[in-house]
Amino acid sequence: MTGVRRTTWDALRACRRPLGRLAAWSVAESLPALLSGLIVARAVDRGFLAGEFGTGLAWLAGLAVAVLVGAVATGRVYRSLGAVVEPYRDELAARVVDGALREATRAGGRPDSAAVARLTQQVEVVRDTFGGLLLVVRGFLFTAGAALLGLLALSPPLAAAVAAPLVLGLTVFAAALPSMVAHQRAQVAAGEELGRSAAAALTGHRDVTACGGQERVVAAVDRRVVAQADAERTLARMAALRSLSLGLGGWLPVVVLLLAAPWLVGRGLSTGAVLGALVYVTTGLQPALHALVQGVGGGGLRYAVTLDRILRSCPPTDPSAAAGRTAATSGGGTAGSATAGGATADGGVVPAVRVRGLTFRYGPHARPVLADFTLTVADGEHLAVVGPSGAGKSTLAALIAGLVPPDSGSVHLADTPVAAVAPETLARLRVLVPQEAYVRSGTLADNLRYLRPDADQATVAAAVDALGAGPLVERLGGLAAEVEPGRLSAGERQLIAAVRAYLAPAPLVILDEATCHLDPTLEATVEEAFARRPGSLVVIAHRISSAIRARRVLVFDDDRPLAGSHEELLRRSPTYRELVGHWQELTIPAHRPLTRT
């Protein structure tokens, strides 16, 4: 729980000024707790017992004024509390979002569906319990402190008689807290295990029935039910310790005062003083202690356990990991040749992509999709990747883009190792456009500027014209028009994503069948625009025309990836000749552009 303590302390330290206001209003709020016993003692001794009824009422009127002041201060306390709690809640929400995005965008990461629960339920639990803890701890410190000061002013022996059992009750409660936290954590974990087990059983109930595994599955779920019930019972038993603390610290002082009252009165203590001491205990110390024990023992445990889960799931960004990383940009110079099998860029120019000894499989015992694969794509190169379905073309694109980690080998973009850079740095090196294009709700301009928010109107218009997207922009109502993704066709979404990638500052563009829903003419326009764009281009080819347009083609020829021009591969690769023949057989008459049906 070190992280919980440190995070809580940092949150409090960051709100020193609001906490100061909260403490100031808490002093005013505790005024009735400070004066109640003294005023009751004076009202009894100098008023009612002395036969001065008006004097007694005057003292009680003073108490009423103190209560009104405390009520006004209570309203201010809640206002000051929000200034402490809400920034803490915002910080936790930002941490959860940051952690979810880093997990989803890191190499080998995947979207975390549990982040939604952390962002909604768990963050709100922490927010509410944090505010509750502040209230009860602050209330106990100021109210109990005020009551003890009043007792001390009333009679030091009375203050000592009350303080001793109060300290004893607090000691018992503090000693039991670590065990309470452990049992609360066990109860939460048992509930989660039961939920997972029950969900798995319900999801696969037909398979379970078909395989005759009902008894085994029911037994497994039953074990989780029993474990959760045991955890709940243990947690309920821990409530007895809270009751013991309340009994020692809250009720034992009352018993002590009642038993000691004759002895104290016999030694000169007034009846009003004894009654005032009972008022301090029953209206000040006892309610404050009850709120503290119930608040810390209930909400405090939920706060510690829930915050601990958030901190473990969303560790803070390590600034040292990103220190020294600089975004690599494409250099000038003549483009060399892209080869498979270990070739490097000509003239010593830093290549756009350098893959060495890459091996990747989708399971520990699966056949490698890529085995000891080596590839160099020179700066400014236009490479098309072709091969049979399932040969590993999209896998190669994902590996180059850093979306999945290889089993072995390395990928460098502009001499920067993909595995060692942060997602934000990787985004400055490459942009990947997948087959299923993403378009979000908002204006068309916002969608196009998604990767380059600072692009001006002229730059966006030039990109739209270069990729032949003008008719689409006009049909949608201009760049300021609101876009509804569900109403766009797959080809329209691809064209919007293509313009977005064209505007991106990344020097490397990877098109993973990103134009498959465009007609052949528009596809040619898009690819030729990217070929003219400064930087390098890798196209996972959807049509033979994409391979013909590329300066270099990489074909997955069984287990021997080969690279060369279209003409070279027609001579050297039987697989490439077969693919070309297959594509041509599927095309419409030769005078029309080549396409697939």
Side-chain angles (χ1 to χ4, degrees):
M1 289 293 173
T2 303
V4 172
R5 289 192 295 268
R6 183 170 59 249
T7 301
T8 306
W9 174 248
D10 290 344
L12 294 174
R13 194 170 55 180
C15 299
R16 287 189 288 267
R17 183 170 296 178
L19 278 175
R21 290 196 296 269
L22 181 64
W25 285 113
S26 296
V27 170
E29 186 190 32
S30 63
L31 190 62
L34 176 66
L35 300 178
S36 59
L38 283 170
I39 290 177
V40 168
R42 298 296 185 269
V44 170
D45 290 337
R46 300 180 184 179
F48 303 120
L49 290 182
E52 299 290 338
F53 191 76
T55 302
L57 289 179
W59 280 105
L60 293 181
L63 179 59
V65 172
V67 170
L68 288 175
V69 172
V72 173
T74 298
R76 299 292 181 175
V77 161
Y78 278 95
R79 184 175 300 179
S80 302
L81 183 68
V84 178
V85 173
E86 294 306 320
Y88 182 41
R89 186 257 183 203
D90 293 343
E91 179 188 345
L92 283 179
R95 181 168 183 162
V96 170
V97 172
D98 178 70
L101 289 175
R102 282 190 285 113
E103 172 62 22
T105 56
R106 71 175 176 83
R110 62 183 61 186
D112 181 11
S113 59
V116 177
R118 284 194 292 273
L119 183 59
T120 54
Q121 180 184 5
Q122 294 183 12
V123 168
E124 290 306 313
V125 167
V126 170
R127 170 187 176 272
D128 293 343
T129 52
F130 178 67
L133 283 174
L134 269 181
L135 277 180
V136 299
V137 172
R138 170 211 61 87
F140 175 79
L141 291 176
F142 284 93
T143 302
L148 287 175
L149 284 176
L151 275 170
L152 192 63
L154 197 62
S155 171
L158 281 178
V162 169
L166 176 66
V167 171
L168 179 60
L170 288 174
T171 303
V172 170
F173 179 66
L177 265 181
S179 181
M180 291 181 184
V181 171
H183 288 300
Q184 180 76 39
R185 189 187 296 116
Q187 184 262 347
V188 171
E192 291 181 348
E193 288 296 329
L194 174 59
R196 278 193 288 265
S197 178
L202 290 173
T203 302
H205 72 280
R206 282 188 285 190
D207 292 339
V208 171
T209 303
C211 297
Q214 297 97 317
E215 292 185 4
R216 187 169 65 233
V217 172
V218 169
V221 175
D222 182 64
R223 285 195 296 272
R224 301 297 184 191
V225 172
V226 172
Q228 202 220 8
D230 289 342
E232 293 280 2
R233 281 192 289 267
T234 302
L235 197 62
R237 283 195 293 270
M238 297 303 296
L241 288 176
R242 295 206 295 268
S243 299
L244 177 62
S245 301
L246 286 173
L248 291 174
W251 289 105
L252 186 57
V254 176
V255 175
V256 169
L257 284 176
L258 292 176
L259 293 177
W263 182 82
L264 292 170
V265 171
R267 279 161 178 73
L269 192 68
S270 69
T271 303
V274 174
L275 186 57
L278 285 172
V279 168
Y280 276 128
V281 172
T282 56
T283 66
L285 289 177
Q286 199 178 77
L289 180 63
H290 184 272
L292 178 72
V293 170
Q294 296 298 334
V296 174
L301 298 184
R302 287 196 300 275
Y303 170 79
V305 172
T306 308
L307 179 58
D308 184 59
R309 295 186 72 80
I310 291 177
L311 297 179
R312 291 176 185 274
S313 303
C314 308
T317 304
D318 183 5
S320 64
R325 295 174 182 162
T326 57
T329 57
S330 59
T334 58
S337 60
T339 61
T344 58
D346 295 337
V349 178
V350 174
V353 180
R354 187 171 72 248
V355 177
R356 290 291 179 268
L358 203 64
T359 297
F360 178 82
R361 50 171 58 87
Y362 282 103
H365 305 296
R367 178 178 179 272
V369 180
L370 297 170
D372 197 25
F373 178 80
T374 297
L375 169 71
T376 298
V377 179
D379 175 51
E381 188 66 65
H382 177 184
L383 174 72
V385 181
V386 301
S389 178
K393 304 185 297 297
S394 293
T395 300
L396 176 61
L399 288 163
I400 292 176
L403 300 183
V404 294
D407 296 329
S408 61
S410 63
V411 178
H412 286 69
L413 301 183
D415 216 26
T416 302
V418 167
V421 299
E424 58 270 18
T425 302
L426 199 57
R428 294 195 293 268
L429 297 174
R430 56 89 181 110
V431 56
L432 170 68
V433 186
Q435 179 177 349
E436 297 301 325
Y438 167 70
V439 176
R440 64 188 180 93
S441 298
T443 66
L444 180 58
D446 289 341
N447 271 282
L448 299 182
R449 292 191 180 102
Y450 187 71
L451 300 177
R452 188 178 170 185
D454 60 339
D456 57 28
Q457 195 82 0
T459 303
V460 174
V464 167
D465 291 339
L467 276 75
L472 173 61
V473 173
E474 184 177 352
R475 187 188 72 76
L476 293 177
L479 295 176
E482 291 290 325
V483 174
E484 295 184 35
R487 295 192 173 186
L488 297 174
S489 68
E492 289 170 336
R493 290 195 297 271
Q494 284 190 335
L495 191 54
I496 291 173
V499 177
R500 177 195 302 152
Y502 186 89
L503 286 168
L508 171 66
V509 175
I510 306 169
L511 303 179
D512 185 6
E513 297 199 16
T515 57
C516 63
H517 296 299
L518 303 180
D519 65 72
T521 302
L522 190 53
E523 178 185 57
T525 301
V526 170
E527 288 187 7
E528 288 167 0
F530 274 106
R532 293 190 301 269
R533 178 184 182 271
S536 307
L537 175 64
V538 175
V539 178
I540 307 301
H542 172 68
R543 300 182 176 104
I544 187 60
S545 52
S546 297
I548 294 174
R549 281 190 291 268
R551 183 181 305 175
R552 184 72 55 174
V553 181
L554 173 68
V555 58
F556 282 80
D557 192 349
D558 297 328
D559 293 329
R560 291 187 309 108
L562 295 175
S565 67
H566 172 68
E567 293 75 12
E568 290 171 344
L569 291 178
L570 283 174
R571 296 192 302 269
R572 296 170 55 197
S573 172
T575 299
Y576 189 71
R577 288 196 298 271
E578 183 180 346
L579 286 171
V580 171
H582 176 68
W583 270 321
Q584 289 177 340
E585 287 174 5
L586 294 176
T587 58
I588 57 182
H591 65 279
R592 297 186 183 180
L594 295 174
T595 186
R596 292 170 72 181
T597 59

